[in-house]
Amino acid sequence: MSKPERPQSEPAQILLVEDNPGDVPLTREAFKQGRIENDLHVVSDGIEALAFLTQQGEYADAPRPDLILLDLNLPGKDGEEVLEELKDDPVLRSIPVIVLTSSRAEEDVVTSYELHANAYLTKPVDPDEFIETVRAFEKFWFSVVRLPPEVDN
């Protein structure tokens, strides 16, 4: 029998990169209602996201996320720039990235997958549907998918 990657007593580390203050509490609520113990870390722009991921400045003690939820429309560096830098970094590229955005533009979908996003989800406008969407991918990513173990630098 194989050993799980993360002991069940350890919460999943999730980084939410989201500049819309209304979507943050909805996401927190969805994860709270879910069955997976998690620590949700939130940053509001692309520059902060990269600082968190590379443990720079105030994020020197930030944990390595098990999963990143990335909005595309961000101030500073946009989500596509963050995704590109993340996937170019040999230490960080194995972290799964789910693009969670309000954009339904086909070019955004195509570009996100070209930049190696693991999934692209369009945020539902209805709050209950939004929560259901978050819960569905939480269940999939933490109950069905086997995530990569952390790689030592």
Side-chain angles (χ1 to χ4, degrees):
M1 193 144 73
S2 68
K3 183 179 141 225
E5 300 307 315
R6 177 191 330 98
Q8 291 192 349
S9 60
E10 280 187 39
Q13 301 296 320
I14 301 168
L15 177 60
L16 173 63
V17 186
E18 175 60 70
D19 68 321
N20 181 341
D23 288 346
V24 173
L26 279 177
T27 307
R28 283 193 193 285
E29 181 60 29
F31 280 118
K32 200 162 111 184
Q33 290 180 16
R35 296 161 71 199
I36 307 300
E37 178 92 18
N38 67 78
D39 288 334
L40 183 65
H41 307 276
V42 181
V43 295
S44 60
D45 65 49
I47 294 167
E48 265 191 286
L50 291 168
F52 185 99
L53 291 163
T54 57
Q55 298 178 313
Q56 301 293 313
E58 67 179 287
Y59 301 107
D61 295 326
R64 176 187 171 92
D66 295 302
L67 186 71
I68 299 167
L69 303 177
L70 179 64
D71 189 11
L72 291 182
N73 305 312
L74 298 168
K77 284 184 187 271
D78 70 22
E80 288 178 358
E81 291 172 296
V82 171
L83 188 55
E84 188 169 18
E85 286 191 39
L86 181 66
K87 294 302 181 176
D88 281 345
D89 186 316
V91 175
L92 301 173
R93 76 168 53 121
S94 65
I95 300 171
V97 177
I98 298 173
V99 172
L100 182 62
T101 185
S102 54
S103 173
R104 294 183 180 275
E106 198 168 296
E107 66 192 55
D108 287 341
V109 176
V110 170
T111 301
S112 294
Y113 282 116
E114 285 175 348
L115 294 172
H116 307 289
N118 298 85
Y120 188 103
L121 299 174
T122 304
K123 294 178 195 171
V125 177
D126 178 76
D128 291 333
E129 287 179 29
F130 182 91
I131 288 173
E132 197 50 47
T133 298
V134 172
R135 290 187 64 199
F137 75 68
E138 174 199 36
K139 182 177 181 186
F140 176 75
W141 282 97
F142 292 111
S143 299
V144 178
V145 172
R146 182 170 176 184
L147 294 172
E150 184 173 342
V151 179
D152 292 330
N153 305 10

